[in-house]
Amino acid sequence: MRAKGSELIPVLSIAGSDCSGGAGVQADLKTFSAHNLFGMSVILSVVAENTARVISVYDVPTKSVDEQMLAVFEDIVPKATKIGMIGSCELMECVAKNLEQFKPQNVVIDPVMFAKNGFALMPEENCDFFKKIIVKFADILTPNIPEAQFLCGFKISDEKDMIKAAKHLCDLGAKAVLLKGGHSEENANDVLFDGREIFILKGERIETKNTHGTGCTLSSAIASNLALGKDLFNAVSEAKEYVRNAIYYSLNLGKGCGPTNHFFRFLNEK
């Protein structure tokens, strides 16, 4: 019997690995699969973490990163690329060089700086370097409020500050910015600036501790929707709804902040 071949749209995650499966590349690949896409990965760091703590971070040698990038782009070119945690200046230079070389489309950059427990995944001294050489590659940058404060250099206290920060990050080179409001004291609204217009995307708080990997999941959901051909506003709006449900149906696993449920659509069809 001859196999009946089929095709899935390919999408790429360039990020760190989370051995507990809730964040990082593992969360990205689950999100891609939940959107019926073919997920691929370039591992930048191996993070020993779980729902309660980060034990260690081991950065992959840049030669391996170069070879992973070559392996992907010479064979299966992704329709969108999500970039997550880049833990060192050396890795930033490596990623920037490869982005210059391969020129991926629909680049979503999540500037991962802290784990849920506050562990610094991007040392503070690397922040300026990130601003100078990575931000400019973002078709959309997706910081939360603490990350945006580090990148902008000023405190963000309300929605007006969020709008100011989103515009500032576009001035740094990002084509669009989604500033996530989950850390806001007022509400959970996000600010989307597409380089021309500001959109306030309403968000409701869901009472749960199980939010491990929400930032990774949101950015990879945006990349998924862009790969599927959706415009920026709809890509972001639908990604927010996907993450809302992933949190609502989150998983009671682990001793700390449990993971979101990437496959809620399938598990709740029964």
Side-chain angles (χ1 to χ4, degrees):
M1 180 187 297
R2 183 182 295 273
K4 182 178 179 181
S6 60
E7 290 187 10
L8 291 177
I9 294 172
V11 61
L12 173 66
S13 168
I14 303 172
S17 166
D18 170 12
C19 61
S20 69
V25 165
Q26 285 85 341
D28 297 340
L29 293 176
K30 290 173 186 177
T31 303
F32 299 155
S33 293
H35 286 78
N36 295 316
L37 300 173
F38 181 75
M40 303 180 291
S41 65
V42 170
I43 305 294
L44 301 181
S45 303
V46 177
V47 184
E49 67 174 318
N50 54 36
T51 64
R53 66 181 182 130
V54 175
I55 297 170
S56 65
V57 178
Y58 173 78
D59 291 337
V60 171
T62 56
K63 183 175 185 293
S64 173
V65 175
D66 288 338
E67 290 169 349
Q68 290 179 75
M69 292 287 288
L70 176 62
V72 169
F73 281 93
E74 75 174 7
D75 190 34
I76 306 175
V77 178
K79 294 292 185 183
T81 296
K82 174 260 169 82
I83 300 173
M85 171 190 156
I86 314 177
S88 71
C89 291
E90 186 179 22
L91 281 172
M92 290 178 201
E93 284 186 314
C94 175
V95 169
K97 179 191 70 175
N98 280 283
L99 294 177
E100 288 278 10
Q101 179 180 349
F102 295 112
K103 296 178 172 52
Q105 58 183 311
N106 295 318
V107 176
V108 181
I109 299 181
D110 185 24
V112 179
M113 296 182 178
F114 309 101
K116 274 286 183 293
N117 63 2
F119 186 96
L121 296 170
M122 180 191 294
E124 184 177 343
E125 59 269 21
N126 294 358
C127 185
D128 282 340
F129 200 71
F130 182 88
K131 285 193 291 187
K132 289 175 184 175
I133 74 164
I134 296 296
V135 169
K136 64 185 178 183
F137 292 105
D139 289 309
I140 178 168
L141 187 73
T142 64
N144 58 31
I145 287 175
E147 291 160 350
Q149 287 180 155
F150 266 87
L151 291 170
C152 293
F154 57 79
K155 185 172 176 57
I156 299 171
S157 302
D158 53 27
E159 199 168 271
K160 183 178 178 181
D161 290 339
M162 291 175 70
I163 293 171
K164 176 184 173 184
K167 291 181 176 179
H168 180 78
L169 292 169
C170 277
D171 289 340
L172 292 179
K175 296 182 182 66
V177 173
L178 176 69
L179 208 168
K180 300 173 291 189
H183 289 79
S184 172
E185 295 181 3
E186 294 183 337
N187 50 54
N189 295 348
D190 299 338
V191 169
L192 173 63
F193 180 53
D194 66 2
R196 300 179 301 277
E197 293 183 70
I198 287 286
F199 302 92
I200 306 300
L201 305 177
K202 302 294 184 182
E204 60 176 314
R205 293 194 188 279
I206 298 173
E207 293 301 319
T208 179
K209 67 181 178 65
N210 299 329
T211 56
H212 182 56
T214 50
C216 304
T217 300
L218 178 63
S219 54
S220 54
I222 294 170
S224 296
N225 289 330
L226 292 173
L228 289 166
K230 296 173 182 177
D231 62 54
L232 182 66
F233 180 83
N234 285 302
V236 171
S237 298
E238 292 181 29
K240 276 177 59 66
E241 180 64 13
Y242 170 77
V243 172
R244 189 192 75 80
N245 279 292
I247 295 172
Y248 183 77
Y249 294 106
S250 59
L251 302 171
N252 294 314
L253 295 172
K255 300 174 182 177
C257 296
T260 61
N261 185 347
H262 298 90
F263 299 113
F264 66 87
R265 291 169 177 159
F266 310 105
L267 297 176
N268 292 284
E269 284 176 356
K270 300 176 181 178

